Amino acid sequence: LWTRNTSSAELAVILSTVLAADRASELLDDIRQGDSGRRRQATDELLAEMMPSLHALCVNTLGSGADAEDALQEALIAIYRALDSFRGESKVSTWAYRITIRVAMRHAVKRKRNVSMNLEDTLAAVGDAMTAVRAKEIFEALDKLSQKHRVVLALFAIQGLSHEEVASVLGIAAGTVWSRLHHARQALGAILQE
């Protein structure tokens, strides 16, 4: 985790990750053991902290702003209702991602249509880290990938989850995540070369 050669920026990321995990643990304790007022406040705070990344996940899975908003609302309700059943076998964020991705996939299946990514919504959700021209090319290429490859790329590359966390969220083996990422990268590279 930390060595003498760890830069101050890397140390800041490590520290913020540890503090975020500690804060999530404190909030969960308040949710489980606090009085009704503290429980409500802790629940609101926990959901507010997770909402931007859950929204980005919905946008990356469903593309459309309205569909993503619907899925996000449904996912937040499902997370809220299931907080008491959280067993702590994974990070809260991994558990919330799992619920959110399942809700988003149900939305995609219900509408029986090809899921596409919306450039404007995605850029707003994950931040504009690329030039507009290159971003447009990349998102058009991502739009051509299968949904299973888009979802794995979104969780790994955009949300920053580890292979194991992606596997846990999707309910698949870590080896399958590696395989899907490999094939998704190859397909994305081939599309961008065209």
Side-chain angles (χ1 to χ4, degrees):
L1 193 64
W2 177 81
T3 67
R4 289 181 188 210
N5 296 330
T6 303
S7 73
S8 58
E10 292 170 323
L11 190 56
V13 169
I14 292 168
L15 185 57
S16 68
T17 302
V18 169
L19 291 175
D22 287 346
R23 183 66 184 139
S25 179
E26 289 173 16
L27 291 171
L28 281 172
D29 287 344
D30 286 346
I31 290 167
R32 289 186 175 138
Q33 300 167 3
D35 61 35
S36 62
R38 181 62 193 136
R39 177 183 166 87
R40 175 69 178 194
Q41 182 182 0
T43 301
D44 290 347
E45 189 176 334
L46 183 64
L47 292 176
E49 284 180 20
M50 292 189 298
M51 195 177 312
S53 58
L54 298 178
H55 181 260
L57 182 58
C58 288
V59 168
N60 287 317
T61 305
L62 295 168
S64 162
D67 287 344
E69 291 297 324
D70 290 346
L72 176 63
Q73 291 302 317
E74 188 177 325
L76 289 172
I77 291 168
I79 291 166
Y80 175 78
R81 288 180 177 160
L83 274 171
D84 287 331
S85 66
F86 177 69
R87 296 186 307 255
E89 294 173 358
S90 64
K91 292 191 302 187
V92 178
S93 59
T94 302
W95 174 78
Y97 284 146
R98 184 181 305 125
I99 291 171
T100 303
I101 199 70
R102 287 183 180 150
V103 168
M105 298 297 238
R106 274 197 313 269
H107 271 257
V109 169
K110 267 196 271 188
R111 289 182 172 82
K112 294 181 183 175
R113 61 180 174 74
N114 189 12
V115 177
S116 65
M117 296 184 75
N118 181 303
L119 175 62
E120 294 80 23
D121 288 344
T122 303
L123 285 177
V126 298
D128 188 6
M130 304 174 258
T131 63
V133 172
R134 189 64 178 156
K136 185 174 190 272
E137 291 173 4
I138 291 171
F139 285 109
E140 285 174 355
L142 285 170
D143 200 32
K144 295 177 183 176
L145 294 177
S146 69
Q147 185 176 5
K148 70 180 182 180
H149 288 140
R150 269 197 312 270
V151 169
V152 168
L153 276 174
L155 289 170
F156 182 77
I158 297 172
Q159 298 296 327
L161 299 182
S162 70
H163 293 90
E164 292 76 20
E165 289 170 325
V166 173
S168 177
V169 166
L170 297 177
I172 59 177
T176 304
V177 172
W178 283 91
S179 174
R180 286 185 186 176
L181 277 172
H182 173 74
H183 291 291
R185 288 176 180 147
Q186 279 187 327
L188 189 60
I191 293 168
L192 289 171
Q193 292 296 322
E194 294 176 352

